[in-house]
Amino acid sequence: MSEKYDVIVIGGGPGGYVAAIRAAQLGYKTACIEKRINKQGDPALGGTCLNVGCIPSKALLDSSWKYHEAEEAFSDHGIGVGKLNLDLDTMLQRKDKIVLQLTGGIAQLFKANKVDWLQGTGQLKANKQVAFKPLEGDEQTLEAENVVLAAGSVPIDIPVAEVDQQIIVDSTGALEFASVPKKLGVIGAGVIGLELGSVWARLGSQVTVLEAVDTFLPAVDQQIAKEAMKQFTKQGLDIHLGARVTGSKKNKNSVRVTYTDGDGEHEETFDRLIVAVGRRPYTEGLLSQDAGVTLDERNFIYVDNQCRTDVPGVYAIGDLVRGPALAHKAIEEGVMVAEVIAGEHTQVNYDAVPGVIYTHPEVAWVGKTEEEVKESGEPYKTGVVPFAANGRALAAGESAGMVKFVVDEKSDRVLGMHVLGPQASELVQQGVISLEFGASIEDLQLMVFGHPSLSETVHEAALATDYKAIHVAQRRRKK
Ligand code: FAD
Ligand code: NAD
């Protein structure tokens, strides 16, 4: 007889493991099927994010930033470190330790919440049956009242640069270079290209980024994106926009890349090449032919606002479905579907999902860009204040960048907040809270912000929307 669960989750990434824990908290008999084997050869929870995504990339971003500071910034503070030494092995091992600590933590949480971790591959069949193929042993059929699909995403491949994880790598390979490539090519100036490009540039690589589109970071407010481009260029990232890669030829220890841009055809040889041109939903083997779940035109699993698929009792979340491919979006959808199953009133506010690029300075945003609001034709106002006017930022030697608010002129409501600067990932949360609470910009203007703090620039940018900022020269509003 097949085993029966209240909830079976397929995929143990940030969407899936959170859905499983929340379902178990709500009293449901829950299993989470995860097939991942980590680089140590052991079964692992945590998905892309914890194993090969958010966490290891941030560990390397932090380590490489410390190296960069020791190399370039400590002397400004009167600190001499002598001859700097890079022990890449230790840096990579530190990253691996953090990953193991976090993924092991999820396994502990599963135990504590009595979630069954089924190690192997799951496939949705008709009538909410799930075929489970364990890592070892025979396939079993499981039954569930509810199934949550949370299989995540995988990198997009391009035929002009086939990944071999040695010379041409995707983001996973780019977390594992055994030595710092002298010349590093990156295809795609998106989030991964900029973050991992920055890591290796700080450690000494000469980095060239080839981006097909003419606009840098088109989804980001363009005032912020333009300043970010300047900062990254200053840091040594050689970013080519409108560059189409037409071919690549590997040698034993390098790859010759050909590309075209407005200036014609070019050829460049790199020691390593990172392909970071986006990710696609990972649906291979996930659905049997009679599963009944519909895909949309881009192969995402079609869901409604509460992540219900077309099959009653079957849900899909995270990178498998529409919306930004972000861990925090997957997490909140995981919570939401468990609560939907329990009949609770619940939602994800898709209008207030922040985005962050963990470069230095960081880029972070929430809500609408100025371009989007302008396009809508509604009257709006903006306030922009640079960190150069902030004492805390100057004290830290982190004065590049700015905070920008986009505000509805008629209602005074905050529509968007955009940050390029130190701790932008933390500061943007003030914009998230403002959007969530439907704050007017006056609410932010009337709040008291601790001094000296980076948040004072948030306050000043709010004041600047009405020409009331104190620490920047603004033209006075006529009475
Ligand atoms: P995933 O994390 O992809 O997890 C899905 C899991 O399902 C996988 O472990 C997979 O093995 C398993 N699975 C798939 N099919 C089956 C099956 N049939 N049976 C059993 N198991 C299956 N996002 C952020 O918000 N912040 C960041 O800083 C950030 N940094 C990133 C850095 C990199 C280098 C990358 C690649 C991504 C980053 N992301 C970041 C994106 C983030 O990792 C994803 O948005 C997030 O992991 C999606 O979560 P998920 O649960 O939908 O899927
Ligand atoms: P992305 O969508 O951010 O960027 C891909 C870039 O590649 C785009 O600018 C695109 O125009 C460009 N591109 C596409 N095809 C190309 C080609 N043939 N030649 C040159 N350029 C090309 O995707 P990504 O950087 O691969 O990251 C994937 C996803 O992972 C992101 O969408 C994001 O949701 C998630 N992620 C998030 C974070 C974070 O939150 N900090 C970090 C890493 C990854």
Side-chain angles (χ1 to χ4, degrees), residues 10-16 33-36 46-49 52-54 57-58 120-123 150-153 171 175 192 195-196 279 282 284-286 317-320 325-328 330 358:
I10 304 181
I33 304 178
E34 171 58 67
K35 67 178 181 178
R36 181 176 294 271
T48 304
C49 175
V52 290
C54 327
S57 62
K58 266 79 250 176
T121 304
Q123 184 183 62
S153 63
S171 56
L175 297 167
I192 292 179
E195 289 187 358
L196 295 180
R279 294 177 65 85
Y282 184 36
E284 281 92 331
L286 180 67
I317 59 175
D319 284 9
L320 268 183
L326 295 172
H328 43 280
Y358 292 85

mmCIF file of all heavy atoms in Angstrom, residues 10-16 33-36 46-49 52-54 57-58 120-123 150-153 171 175 192 195-196 279 282 284-286 317-320 325-328 330 358, ligand 1:
data_model
loop_
_atom_site.group_PDB
_atom_site.id
_atom_site.type_symbol
_atom_site.label_atom_id
_atom_site.label_comp_id
_atom_site.label_asym_id
_atom_site.label_seq_id
_atom_site.Cartn_x
_atom_site.Cartn_y
_atom_site.Cartn_z
ATOM 1 N N ILE A 10 7.870 18.750 -3.404
ATOM 2 C CA ILE A 10 8.962 18.255 -4.256
ATOM 3 C C ILE A 10 9.961 19.390 -4.439
ATOM 4 O O ILE A 10 9.660 20.410 -5.064
ATOM 5 C CB ILE A 10 8.453 17.750 -5.618
ATOM 6 C CG1 ILE A 10 7.391 16.656 -5.413
ATOM 7 C CG2 ILE A 10 9.624 17.215 -6.460
ATOM 8 C CD1 ILE A 10 6.831 16.074 -6.704
ATOM 9 N N GLY A 11 11.156 19.219 -3.860
ATOM 10 C CA GLY A 11 12.189 20.248 -3.911
ATOM 11 C C GLY A 11 12.419 20.829 -2.519
ATOM 12 O O GLY A 11 11.459 21.266 -1.868
ATOM 13 N N GLY A 12 13.664 20.805 -2.079
ATOM 14 C CA GLY A 12 13.982 21.270 -0.719
ATOM 15 C C GLY A 12 14.802 22.538 -0.706
ATOM 16 O O GLY A 12 15.667 22.728 0.153
ATOM 17 N N GLY A 13 14.540 23.452 -1.667
ATOM 18 C CA GLY A 13 15.195 24.767 -1.666
ATOM 19 C C GLY A 13 14.448 25.711 -0.735
ATOM 20 O O GLY A 13 13.586 25.273 0.041
ATOM 21 N N PRO A 14 14.763 27.017 -0.811
ATOM 22 C CA PRO A 14 14.121 27.959 0.111
ATOM 23 C C PRO A 14 12.593 27.971 0.000
ATOM 24 O O PRO A 14 11.907 28.201 1.006
ATOM 25 C CB PRO A 14 14.694 29.316 -0.276
ATOM 26 C CG PRO A 14 15.541 29.105 -1.466
ATOM 27 C CD PRO A 14 15.772 27.658 -1.653
ATOM 28 N N GLY A 15 12.068 27.731 -1.200
ATOM 29 C CA GLY A 15 10.610 27.638 -1.328
ATOM 30 C C GLY A 15 10.110 26.367 -0.669
ATOM 31 O O GLY A 15 9.234 26.382 0.210
ATOM 32 N N GLY A 16 10.690 25.227 -1.073
ATOM 33 C CA GLY A 16 10.198 23.918 -0.647
ATOM 34 C C GLY A 16 10.403 23.633 0.827
ATOM 35 O O GLY A 16 9.483 23.171 1.511
ATOM 36 N N ILE A 33 10.614 15.915 -0.712
ATOM 37 C CA ILE A 33 11.478 15.079 -1.551
ATOM 38 C C ILE A 33 12.575 15.970 -2.136
ATOM 39 O O ILE A 33 12.279 17.004 -2.750
ATOM 40 C CB ILE A 33 10.671 14.441 -2.706
ATOM 41 C CG1 ILE A 33 9.478 13.647 -2.152
ATOM 42 C CG2 ILE A 33 11.565 13.559 -3.564
ATOM 43 C CD1 ILE A 33 8.587 13.026 -3.232
ATOM 44 N N GLU A 34 13.814 15.587 -1.925
ATOM 45 C CA GLU A 34 14.932 16.375 -2.472
ATOM 46 C C GLU A 34 15.993 15.412 -2.990
ATOM 47 O O GLU A 34 16.406 14.490 -2.303
ATOM 48 C CB GLU A 34 15.510 17.293 -1.397
ATOM 49 C CG GLU A 34 16.802 18.004 -1.765
ATOM 50 C CD GLU A 34 16.725 18.874 -3.017
ATOM 51 O OE1 GLU A 34 16.026 19.879 -3.007
ATOM 52 O OE2 GLU A 34 17.391 18.531 -4.031
ATOM 53 N N LYS A 35 16.437 15.671 -4.208
ATOM 54 C CA LYS A 35 17.377 14.740 -4.843
ATOM 55 C C LYS A 35 18.830 15.199 -4.803
ATOM 56 O O LYS A 35 19.733 14.468 -5.221
ATOM 57 C CB LYS A 35 16.963 14.512 -6.295
ATOM 58 C CG LYS A 35 17.106 15.745 -7.168
ATOM 59 C CD LYS A 35 16.710 15.391 -8.588
ATOM 60 C CE LYS A 35 16.843 16.569 -9.511
ATOM 61 N NZ LYS A 35 16.517 16.265 -10.885
ATOM 62 N N ARG A 36 19.066 16.408 -4.297
ATOM 63 C CA ARG A 36 20.399 17.007 -4.391
ATOM 64 C C ARG A 36 21.465 16.222 -3.617
ATOM 65 O O ARG A 36 21.255 15.807 -2.490
ATOM 66 C CB ARG A 36 20.368 18.443 -3.868
ATOM 67 C CG ARG A 36 21.694 19.180 -3.945
ATOM 68 C CD ARG A 36 21.523 20.624 -3.490
ATOM 69 N NE ARG A 36 20.674 21.364 -4.421
ATOM 70 C CZ ARG A 36 21.134 22.019 -5.487
ATOM 71 N NH1 ARG A 36 22.427 22.021 -5.754
ATOM 72 N NH2 ARG A 36 20.306 22.663 -6.274
ATOM 73 N N GLY A 46 18.235 22.625 1.063
ATOM 74 C CA GLY A 46 18.631 24.034 0.905
ATOM 75 C C GLY A 46 18.633 24.522 -0.538
ATOM 76 O O GLY A 46 18.741 25.724 -0.782
ATOM 77 N N GLY A 47 18.555 23.587 -1.494
ATOM 78 C CA GLY A 47 18.390 23.981 -2.890
ATOM 79 C C GLY A 47 19.564 24.760 -3.461
ATOM 80 O O GLY A 47 20.685 24.721 -2.939
ATOM 81 N N THR A 48 19.271 25.455 -4.547
ATOM 82 C CA THR A 48 20.275 26.280 -5.219
ATOM 83 C C THR A 48 20.810 27.330 -4.256
ATOM 84 O O THR A 48 22.026 27.542 -4.144
ATOM 85 C CB THR A 48 19.616 27.004 -6.417
ATOM 86 O OG1 THR A 48 19.021 26.032 -7.268
ATOM 87 C CG2 THR A 48 20.613 27.836 -7.187
ATOM 88 N N CYS A 49 19.900 27.980 -3.564
ATOM 89 C CA CYS A 49 20.248 29.139 -2.735
ATOM 90 C C CYS A 49 21.338 28.805 -1.719
ATOM 91 O O CYS A 49 22.376 29.474 -1.672
ATOM 92 C CB CYS A 49 18.983 29.624 -2.035
ATOM 93 S SG CYS A 49 19.267 30.948 -0.874
ATOM 94 N N VAL A 52 24.562 26.397 -3.865
ATOM 95 C CA VAL A 52 25.382 26.941 -4.961
ATOM 96 C C VAL A 52 24.931 28.338 -5.390
ATOM 97 O O VAL A 52 25.225 28.776 -6.495
ATOM 98 C CB VAL A 52 25.361 25.988 -6.195
ATOM 99 C CG1 VAL A 52 26.118 24.711 -5.909
ATOM 100 C CG2 VAL A 52 23.930 25.691 -6.637
ATOM 101 N N GLY A 53 24.172 29.022 -4.537
ATOM 102 C CA GLY A 53 23.617 30.315 -4.950
ATOM 103 C C GLY A 53 23.896 31.415 -3.960
ATOM 104 O O GLY A 53 25.051 31.780 -3.725
ATOM 105 N N CYS A 54 22.813 31.900 -3.354
ATOM 106 C CA CYS A 54 22.875 33.076 -2.469
ATOM 107 C C CYS A 54 24.011 32.977 -1.459
ATOM 108 O O CYS A 54 24.809 33.913 -1.330
ATOM 109 C CB CYS A 54 21.584 33.225 -1.666
ATOM 110 S SG CYS A 54 20.077 32.703 -2.466
ATOM 111 N N SER A 57 27.822 32.475 -2.725
ATOM 112 C CA SER A 57 28.264 33.673 -3.465
ATOM 113 C C SER A 57 28.476 34.836 -2.502
ATOM 114 O O SER A 57 29.432 35.599 -2.647
ATOM 115 C CB SER A 57 27.271 34.042 -4.575
ATOM 116 O OG SER A 57 26.002 34.358 -4.046
ATOM 117 N N LYS A 58 27.617 34.935 -1.480
ATOM 118 C CA LYS A 58 27.815 36.030 -0.514
ATOM 119 C C LYS A 58 29.049 35.786 0.349
ATOM 120 O O LYS A 58 29.750 36.724 0.738
ATOM 121 C CB LYS A 58 26.573 36.216 0.357
ATOM 122 C CG LYS A 58 25.631 37.276 -0.183
ATOM 123 C CD LYS A 58 24.763 36.825 -1.311
ATOM 124 C CE LYS A 58 25.005 37.338 -2.652
ATOM 125 N NZ LYS A 58 24.148 36.746 -3.694
ATOM 126 N N GLY A 120 15.727 11.628 -2.784
ATOM 127 C CA GLY A 120 15.556 11.046 -4.112
ATOM 128 C C GLY A 120 14.738 11.980 -4.979
ATOM 129 O O GLY A 120 14.584 13.166 -4.664
ATOM 130 N N THR A 121 14.202 11.423 -6.072
ATOM 131 C CA THR A 121 13.529 12.245 -7.077
ATOM 132 C C THR A 121 12.014 12.044 -7.001
ATOM 133 O O THR A 121 11.542 10.919 -6.849
ATOM 134 C CB THR A 121 14.023 11.837 -8.475
ATOM 135 O OG1 THR A 121 15.448 11.975 -8.484
ATOM 136 C CG2 THR A 121 13.445 12.712 -9.565
ATOM 137 N N GLY A 122 11.290 13.152 -7.114
ATOM 138 C CA GLY A 122 9.837 13.074 -7.099
ATOM 139 C C GLY A 122 9.255 13.450 -8.440
ATOM 140 O O GLY A 122 9.816 14.284 -9.164
ATOM 141 N N GLN A 123 8.145 12.801 -8.795
ATOM 142 C CA GLN A 123 7.441 13.176 -10.027
ATOM 143 C C GLN A 123 5.947 13.194 -9.743
ATOM 144 O O GLN A 123 5.399 12.221 -9.190
ATOM 145 C CB GLN A 123 7.736 12.169 -11.141
ATOM 146 C CG GLN A 123 7.098 12.588 -12.453
ATOM 147 C CD GLN A 123 7.306 11.570 -13.549
ATOM 148 O OE1 GLN A 123 6.847 10.435 -13.424
ATOM 149 N NE2 GLN A 123 7.982 11.973 -14.609
ATOM 150 N N ALA A 150 8.255 22.538 -6.027
ATOM 151 C CA ALA A 150 9.243 23.576 -5.669
ATOM 152 C C ALA A 150 10.605 23.171 -6.209
ATOM 153 O O ALA A 150 11.597 23.159 -5.482
ATOM 154 C CB ALA A 150 9.275 23.760 -4.157
ATOM 155 N N ALA A 151 10.637 22.818 -7.503
ATOM 156 C CA ALA A 151 11.853 22.219 -8.080
ATOM 157 C C ALA A 151 12.870 23.253 -8.555
ATOM 158 O O ALA A 151 13.955 22.892 -9.014
ATOM 159 C CB ALA A 151 11.471 21.295 -9.229
ATOM 160 N N GLY A 152 12.525 24.545 -8.476
ATOM 161 C CA GLY A 152 13.529 25.584 -8.717
ATOM 162 C C GLY A 152 13.888 25.798 -10.172
ATOM 163 O O GLY A 152 13.077 25.591 -11.085
ATOM 164 N N SER A 153 15.140 26.197 -10.386
ATOM 165 C CA SER A 153 15.576 26.575 -11.735
ATOM 166 C C SER A 153 17.006 26.119 -11.975
ATOM 167 O O SER A 153 17.712 25.736 -11.043
ATOM 168 C CB SER A 153 15.503 28.101 -11.881
ATOM 169 O OG SER A 153 16.396 28.716 -10.984
ATOM 170 N N SER A 171 27.367 29.556 -12.926
ATOM 171 C CA SER A 171 27.604 30.183 -11.613
ATOM 172 C C SER A 171 28.186 29.177 -10.620
ATOM 173 O O SER A 171 29.007 29.552 -9.763
ATOM 174 C CB SER A 171 26.306 30.787 -11.065
ATOM 175 O OG SER A 171 25.293 29.809 -11.002
ATOM 176 N N LEU A 175 32.069 29.455 -8.558
ATOM 177 C CA LEU A 175 32.299 29.499 -7.108
ATOM 178 C C LEU A 175 33.474 28.618 -6.712
ATOM 179 O O LEU A 175 33.800 28.499 -5.538
ATOM 180 C CB LEU A 175 31.044 28.993 -6.363
ATOM 181 C CG LEU A 175 29.757 29.795 -6.531
ATOM 182 C CD1 LEU A 175 28.565 29.007 -5.997
ATOM 183 C CD2 LEU A 175 29.863 31.130 -5.809
ATOM 184 N N ILE A 192 24.185 37.744 -11.530
ATOM 185 C CA ILE A 192 25.287 36.800 -11.308
ATOM 186 C C ILE A 192 26.577 37.325 -11.926
ATOM 187 O O ILE A 192 27.641 37.296 -11.299
ATOM 188 C CB ILE A 192 24.932 35.409 -11.883
ATOM 189 C CG1 ILE A 192 23.804 34.788 -11.049
ATOM 190 C CG2 ILE A 192 26.158 34.491 -11.909
ATOM 191 C CD1 ILE A 192 23.330 33.430 -11.521
ATOM 192 N N GLU A 195 27.895 40.081 -9.665
ATOM 193 C CA GLU A 195 28.360 39.635 -8.337
ATOM 194 C C GLU A 195 29.622 38.780 -8.466
ATOM 195 O O GLU A 195 30.637 39.043 -7.820
ATOM 196 C CB GLU A 195 27.257 38.843 -7.623
ATOM 197 C CG GLU A 195 26.091 39.735 -7.169
ATOM 198 C CD GLU A 195 25.069 39.006 -6.309
ATOM 199 O OE1 GLU A 195 25.217 37.786 -6.071
ATOM 200 O OE2 GLU A 195 24.089 39.657 -5.884
ATOM 201 N N LEU A 196 29.573 37.754 -9.298
ATOM 202 C CA LEU A 196 30.737 36.860 -9.382
ATOM 203 C C LEU A 196 31.886 37.518 -10.140
ATOM 204 O O LEU A 196 33.057 37.275 -9.836
ATOM 205 C CB LEU A 196 30.329 35.513 -9.977
ATOM 206 C CG LEU A 196 29.355 34.733 -9.069
ATOM 207 C CD1 LEU A 196 28.957 33.406 -9.684
ATOM 208 C CD2 LEU A 196 29.966 34.487 -7.685
ATOM 209 N N ARG A 279 18.291 32.159 -15.781
ATOM 210 C CA ARG A 279 17.949 30.798 -15.351
ATOM 211 C C ARG A 279 16.564 30.463 -15.869
ATOM 212 O O ARG A 279 15.765 31.348 -16.173
ATOM 213 C CB ARG A 279 17.992 30.706 -13.817
ATOM 214 C CG ARG A 279 19.413 30.896 -13.279
ATOM 215 C CD ARG A 279 19.448 30.875 -11.757
ATOM 216 N NE ARG A 279 19.085 29.603 -11.161
ATOM 217 C CZ ARG A 279 19.920 28.581 -10.967
ATOM 218 N NH1 ARG A 279 21.184 28.691 -11.331
ATOM 219 N NH2 ARG A 279 19.506 27.458 -10.406
ATOM 220 N N TYR A 282 12.999 24.521 -13.721
ATOM 221 C CA TYR A 282 13.519 23.163 -13.848
ATOM 222 C C TYR A 282 12.355 22.171 -13.774
ATOM 223 O O TYR A 282 11.992 21.697 -12.703
ATOM 224 C CB TYR A 282 14.518 22.917 -12.723
ATOM 225 C CG TYR A 282 15.207 21.576 -12.770
ATOM 226 C CD1 TYR A 282 15.552 20.997 -13.982
ATOM 227 C CD2 TYR A 282 15.520 20.908 -11.605
ATOM 228 C CE1 TYR A 282 16.192 19.771 -14.024
ATOM 229 C CE2 TYR A 282 16.165 19.670 -11.636
ATOM 230 C CZ TYR A 282 16.488 19.111 -12.856
ATOM 231 O OH TYR A 282 17.114 17.896 -12.899
ATOM 232 N N GLU A 284 12.188 19.362 -15.909
ATOM 233 C CA GLU A 284 12.519 18.049 -16.467
ATOM 234 C C GLU A 284 12.214 16.938 -15.468
ATOM 235 O O GLU A 284 12.681 16.962 -14.333
ATOM 236 C CB GLU A 284 14.007 17.953 -16.846
ATOM 237 C CG GLU A 284 14.356 18.618 -18.156
ATOM 238 C CD GLU A 284 14.784 20.057 -17.969
ATOM 239 O OE1 GLU A 284 14.315 20.698 -16.994
ATOM 240 O OE2 GLU A 284 15.585 20.546 -18.778
ATOM 241 N N GLY A 285 11.420 15.976 -15.896
ATOM 242 C CA GLY A 285 11.132 14.807 -15.063
ATOM 243 C C GLY A 285 10.200 15.085 -13.893
ATOM 244 O O GLY A 285 9.863 14.189 -13.123
ATOM 245 N N LEU A 286 9.752 16.311 -13.768
ATOM 246 C CA LEU A 286 8.945 16.678 -12.594
ATOM 247 C C LEU A 286 7.477 16.281 -12.752
ATOM 248 O O LEU A 286 6.790 15.992 -11.772
ATOM 249 C CB LEU A 286 9.059 18.199 -12.382
ATOM 250 C CG LEU A 286 8.289 18.795 -11.215
ATOM 251 C CD1 LEU A 286 8.865 18.313 -9.883
ATOM 252 C CD2 LEU A 286 8.331 20.327 -11.262
ATOM 253 N N ILE A 317 5.659 26.876 -6.585
ATOM 254 C CA ILE A 317 6.227 28.085 -5.967
ATOM 255 C C ILE A 317 7.672 28.331 -6.439
ATOM 256 O O ILE A 317 8.286 27.465 -7.056
ATOM 257 C CB ILE A 317 6.231 27.965 -4.422
ATOM 258 C CG1 ILE A 317 7.054 26.748 -3.960
ATOM 259 C CG2 ILE A 317 4.823 27.894 -3.862
ATOM 260 C CD1 ILE A 317 7.199 26.629 -2.442
ATOM 261 N N GLY A 318 8.178 29.493 -6.093
ATOM 262 C CA GLY A 318 9.602 29.802 -6.286
ATOM 263 C C GLY A 318 9.980 29.996 -7.743
ATOM 264 O O GLY A 318 9.202 30.514 -8.554
ATOM 265 N N ASP A 319 11.182 29.564 -8.088
ATOM 266 C CA ASP A 319 11.714 29.796 -9.440
ATOM 267 C C ASP A 319 10.935 29.050 -10.513
ATOM 268 O O ASP A 319 11.122 29.302 -11.707
ATOM 269 C CB ASP A 319 13.186 29.351 -9.512
ATOM 270 C CG ASP A 319 14.129 30.343 -8.827
ATOM 271 O OD1 ASP A 319 13.645 31.272 -8.149
ATOM 272 O OD2 ASP A 319 15.356 30.170 -8.963
ATOM 273 N N LEU A 320 10.084 28.112 -10.109
ATOM 274 C CA LEU A 320 9.281 27.363 -11.088
ATOM 275 C C LEU A 320 8.156 28.204 -11.669
ATOM 276 O O LEU A 320 7.569 27.830 -12.679
ATOM 277 C CB LEU A 320 8.604 26.174 -10.391
ATOM 278 C CG LEU A 320 9.259 24.820 -10.337
ATOM 279 C CD1 LEU A 320 8.323 23.829 -9.664
ATOM 280 C CD2 LEU A 320 9.637 24.315 -11.730
ATOM 281 N N ALA A 325 13.042 35.548 -9.819
ATOM 282 C CA ALA A 325 13.657 34.297 -9.334
ATOM 283 C C ALA A 325 14.531 34.634 -8.131
ATOM 284 O O ALA A 325 15.747 34.722 -8.239
ATOM 285 C CB ALA A 325 14.477 33.667 -10.453
ATOM 286 N N LEU A 326 13.895 34.829 -7.000
ATOM 287 C CA LEU A 326 14.609 35.259 -5.792
ATOM 288 C C LEU A 326 14.244 34.360 -4.626
ATOM 289 O O LEU A 326 13.091 33.934 -4.492
ATOM 290 C CB LEU A 326 14.236 36.702 -5.447
ATOM 291 C CG LEU A 326 14.672 37.747 -6.475
ATOM 292 C CD1 LEU A 326 14.089 39.113 -6.133
ATOM 293 C CD2 LEU A 326 16.196 37.815 -6.566
ATOM 294 N N ALA A 327 15.214 34.126 -3.752
ATOM 295 C CA ALA A 327 14.984 33.225 -2.632
ATOM 296 C C ALA A 327 13.889 33.748 -1.703
ATOM 297 O O ALA A 327 13.039 32.977 -1.241
ATOM 298 C CB ALA A 327 16.285 33.040 -1.856
ATOM 299 N N HIS A 328 13.899 35.056 -1.434
ATOM 300 C CA HIS A 328 12.906 35.576 -0.478
ATOM 301 C C HIS A 328 11.497 35.519 -1.046
ATOM 302 O O HIS A 328 10.534 35.373 -0.302
ATOM 303 C CB HIS A 328 13.265 36.988 0.011
ATOM 304 C CG HIS A 328 13.741 37.922 -1.051
ATOM 305 N ND1 HIS A 328 15.027 37.906 -1.524
ATOM 306 C CD2 HIS A 328 13.112 38.899 -1.739
ATOM 307 C CE1 HIS A 328 15.164 38.862 -2.434
ATOM 308 N NE2 HIS A 328 14.005 39.457 -2.600
ATOM 309 N N ALA A 330 10.551 33.041 -3.090
ATOM 310 C CA ALA A 330 10.243 31.610 -2.951
ATOM 311 C C ALA A 330 9.827 31.290 -1.507
ATOM 312 O O ALA A 330 8.843 30.569 -1.268
ATOM 313 C CB ALA A 330 11.466 30.776 -3.342
ATOM 314 N N TYR A 358 24.446 42.274 -4.842
ATOM 315 C CA TYR A 358 25.399 42.384 -3.726
ATOM 316 C C TYR A 358 26.807 42.758 -4.190
ATOM 317 O O TYR A 358 27.787 42.134 -3.807
ATOM 318 C CB TYR A 358 25.403 41.093 -2.919
ATOM 319 C CG TYR A 358 24.109 40.882 -2.173
ATOM 320 C CD1 TYR A 358 23.019 40.285 -2.795
ATOM 321 C CD2 TYR A 358 23.960 41.322 -0.866
ATOM 322 C CE1 TYR A 358 21.820 40.111 -2.122
ATOM 323 C CE2 TYR A 358 22.763 41.152 -0.189
ATOM 324 C CZ TYR A 358 21.705 40.553 -0.823
ATOM 325 O OH TYR A 358 20.513 40.387 -0.157
HETATM 326 P P1 FAD B 1 15.854 25.934 -5.665
HETATM 327 O O1 FAD B 1 16.606 26.642 -4.642
HETATM 328 O O2 FAD B 1 16.445 25.822 -7.024
HETATM 329 O O3 FAD B 1 15.582 24.482 -5.081
HETATM 330 C C1 FAD B 1 14.938 23.485 -5.798
HETATM 331 C C2 FAD B 1 15.426 22.141 -5.332
HETATM 332 O O4 FAD B 1 14.577 21.148 -5.905
HETATM 333 C C3 FAD B 1 16.831 21.797 -5.788
HETATM 334 O O5 FAD B 1 17.670 21.512 -4.688
HETATM 335 C C4 FAD B 1 16.675 20.558 -6.676
HETATM 336 O O6 FAD B 1 17.689 19.602 -6.475
HETATM 337 C C5 FAD B 1 15.348 20.015 -6.205
HETATM 338 N N1 FAD B 1 14.634 19.253 -7.232
HETATM 339 C C6 FAD B 1 14.381 19.636 -8.509
HETATM 340 N N2 FAD B 1 13.637 18.716 -9.136
HETATM 341 C C7 FAD B 1 13.428 17.713 -8.248
HETATM 342 C C8 FAD B 1 12.729 16.486 -8.300
HETATM 343 N N3 FAD B 1 12.078 16.109 -9.407
HETATM 344 N N4 FAD B 1 12.742 15.696 -7.210
HETATM 345 C C9 FAD B 1 13.404 16.079 -6.076
HETATM 346 N N5 FAD B 1 14.062 17.240 -5.971
HETATM 347 C C10 FAD B 1 14.066 18.050 -7.029
HETATM 348 N N6 FAD B 1 18.349 34.877 -4.667
HETATM 349 C C11 FAD B 1 18.236 35.833 -3.709
HETATM 350 O O7 FAD B 1 17.115 36.154 -3.307
HETATM 351 N N7 FAD B 1 19.334 36.433 -3.173
HETATM 352 C C12 FAD B 1 20.589 36.127 -3.588
HETATM 353 O O8 FAD B 1 21.558 36.691 -3.086
HETATM 354 C C13 FAD B 1 20.737 35.149 -4.601
HETATM 355 N N8 FAD B 1 21.960 34.799 -5.039
HETATM 356 C C14 FAD B 1 22.084 33.822 -5.997
HETATM 357 C C15 FAD B 1 23.356 33.506 -6.451
HETATM 358 C C16 FAD B 1 23.512 32.538 -7.426
HETATM 359 C C17 FAD B 1 24.897 32.187 -7.891
HETATM 360 C C18 FAD B 1 22.375 31.855 -7.929
HETATM 361 C C19 FAD B 1 22.532 30.773 -8.959
HETATM 362 C C20 FAD B 1 21.109 32.168 -7.486
HETATM 363 C C21 FAD B 1 20.948 33.165 -6.520
HETATM 364 N N9 FAD B 1 19.691 33.558 -6.064
HETATM 365 C C22 FAD B 1 19.569 34.532 -5.113
HETATM 366 C C23 FAD B 1 18.458 32.923 -6.586
HETATM 367 C C24 FAD B 1 17.958 31.851 -5.599
HETATM 368 O O9 FAD B 1 18.972 30.894 -5.418
HETATM 369 C C25 FAD B 1 16.704 31.190 -6.133
HETATM 370 O O10 FAD B 1 15.743 32.184 -6.440
HETATM 371 C C26 FAD B 1 16.120 30.254 -5.111
HETATM 372 O O11 FAD B 1 17.041 29.246 -4.775
HETATM 373 C C27 FAD B 1 14.841 29.594 -5.631
HETATM 374 O O12 FAD B 1 14.341 28.748 -4.657
HETATM 375 P P2 FAD B 1 13.441 27.488 -5.042
HETATM 376 O O13 FAD B 1 13.088 26.845 -3.746
HETATM 377 O O14 FAD B 1 12.369 27.888 -5.964
HETATM 378 O O15 FAD B 1 14.395 26.524 -5.891
#
